[in-house]
C-alpha cells in the first residue's frame, strides 16, 4: 500500500501480516512491482511514484532505495514495468520510458492534453497503450533507439464517452 503520508507498507497476502515499511519517499501516488529486473541479483523491486514527480526504486529484500529518477514536472500517477523497462505516466501530460539497467530515461512520449490515468505494456507487445484523464486512449510503439532514433511516433484514439479507470 502507499499513501500521501509517504509510508509504503508491504503485507503478506496469505497471513495478512506486515512484512516491511518503506519510509522517506515523500507523498506517494502509485506503486508498481512485478517483473522488473534492474540488474543481476536485484529482481524484487518496488517502484514508487511520488507527488513531486520522482520515481523511486526500492529493493524489497533490503527495504533500501537503490535509485531515484527525476523527469516528471508533476505527480507520477501510474507505473508499468516490464523486464528492465519502466513506463511512468504523469499529471504533466507525459509518459516517460526508463531503462533501469542503464539508469537513464530513454524517451518521453508527448501529445497528451491531460494527465495519464493508466499505462499498459504487455509481455511480448511492442505498443505502449495509455489512458488519459481527457477520456482519450493513445497508442505508441515501444521506443527503441535502434528502431526510432531519438524520437518515437504514436497515434491517438478518442472514442470513449466515459473516463477510463484502468487498462488490462
Amino acid at each position: 500500500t502507499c499513501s500521501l503520508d509517504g509510508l509504503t507498507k508491504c503485507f503478506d497476502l496469505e497471513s495478512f501480516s506486515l512484512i516491511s515499511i518503506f519510509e522517506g519517499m515523500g507523498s506517494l501516488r502509485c506503486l508498481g512491482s512485478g517483473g522488473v529486473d534492474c540488474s543481476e541479483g536485484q529482481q524484487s523491486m518496488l517502484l514508487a511514484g511520488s507527488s513531486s514527480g520522482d520515481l523511486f526504486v526500492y529493493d524489497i529484500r533490503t527495504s533500501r532505495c537503490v535509485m531515484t529518477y527525476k523527469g516528471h514536472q508533476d505527480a507520477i500517477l501510474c507505473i508499468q514495468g516490464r523486464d528492465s523497462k519502466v513506463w511512468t505516466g504523469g499529471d504533466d501530460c507525459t509518459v516517460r520510458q526508463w531503462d533501469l539497467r542503464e539508469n537513464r530515461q530513454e524517451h518521453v512520449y508527448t501529445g497528451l492534453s491531460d494527465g495519464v490515468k493508466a499505462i499498459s505494456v504487455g509481455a511480448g507487445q511492442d505498443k505502449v497503450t495509455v489512458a488519459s484523464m481527457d477520456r482519450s486512449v493513445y497508442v505508441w510503439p515501444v521506443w527503441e533507439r535502434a528502431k526510432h532514433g531519438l524520437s518515437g511516433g504514436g497515434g491517438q484514439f478518442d472514442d470513449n464517452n466515459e473516463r477510463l479507470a484502468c487498462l488490462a
Side-chain angles (χ1 to χ4, degrees), residues 111-113 115-120 128-140 154-167:
L112 290 89
S113 61
V116 178
K117 184 70 174 171
I119 302 171
S120 177
V128 178
T129 306
V130 175
S132 173
M133 286 192 235
D134 68 1
R135 297 178 293 184
S136 298
V137 174
Y138 298 80
V139 179
W140 287 282
Q156 176 183 356
F157 301 94
D158 190 6
D159 290 332
N160 301 296
N161 294 326
E162 301 296 325
R163 285 191 176 256
L164 296 167
C166 64
L167 293 173

Side-chain angles (χ1 to χ4, degrees), residues 30 32 46-50 52-58 65 67-72 76 78-79 86-88 96-98 100:
C30 59
L46 172 72
L47 307 169
S50 73
S52 65
D54 295 333
L55 171 64
F56 299 103
V57 181
Y58 276 76
C65 183
M67 186 60 65
T68 301
Y69 295 95
K70 297 183 180 291
H72 285 281
I76 295 176
C78 55
I79 300 172
V86 172
W87 290 264
T88 54
R96 293 172 188 268
Q97 180 176 316
W98 310 89
L100 300 185

Side-chain angles (χ1 to χ4, degrees), residues 2-162:
C2 73
S3 65
L4 295 177
D5 66 4
L7 293 178
T8 297
K9 298 177 181 179
C10 289
F11 293 90
D12 182 313
L13 294 180
E14 291 180 11
S15 67
F16 298 106
S17 61
L18 179 65
I19 296 172
S20 61
I21 298 175
F22 300 87
E23 297 183 64
M25 295 184 217
S27 178
L28 297 180
R29 301 299 290 272
C30 59
L31 292 175
S33 66
V36 178
D37 182 7
C38 286
S39 62
E40 300 304 318
Q42 289 184 340
Q43 296 182 4
S44 298
M45 297 291 129
L46 172 72
L47 307 169
S50 73
S51 293
S52 65
D54 295 333
L55 171 64
F56 299 103
V57 181
Y58 276 76
D59 186 324
I60 291 174
R61 293 171 301 198
T62 65
S63 300
R64 293 182 187 238
C65 183
V66 295
M67 186 60 65
T68 301
Y69 295 95
K70 297 183 180 291
H72 285 281
Q73 301 302 307
D74 207 338
I76 295 176
L77 303 176
C78 55
I79 300 172
Q80 172 72 50
R82 186 184 81 192
D83 302 323
S84 65
K85 308 287 186 197
V86 172
W87 290 264
T88 54
D91 219 7
D92 61 358
C93 305
T94 67
V95 173
R96 293 172 188 268
Q97 180 176 316
W98 310 89
D99 185 320
L100 300 185
R101 284 196 183 131
E102 300 286 327
N103 290 323
R104 65 183 171 94
Q105 178 179 283
E106 284 192 317
H107 188 66
V108 180
Y109 300 85
T110 59
L112 290 89
S113 61
D114 207 343
V116 178
K117 184 70 174 171
I119 302 171
S120 177
V121 183
Q125 292 183 354
D126 61 352
K127 302 278 188 238
V128 178
T129 306
V130 175
S132 173
M133 286 192 235
D134 68 1
R135 297 178 293 184
S136 298
V137 174
Y138 298 80
V139 179
W140 287 282
V142 170
W143 184 87
E144 295 178 33
R145 185 179 303 275
K147 277 189 192 176
H148 300 107
L150 298 177
S151 65
Q156 176 183 356
F157 301 94
D158 190 6
D159 290 332
N160 301 296
N161 294 326
E162 301 296 325

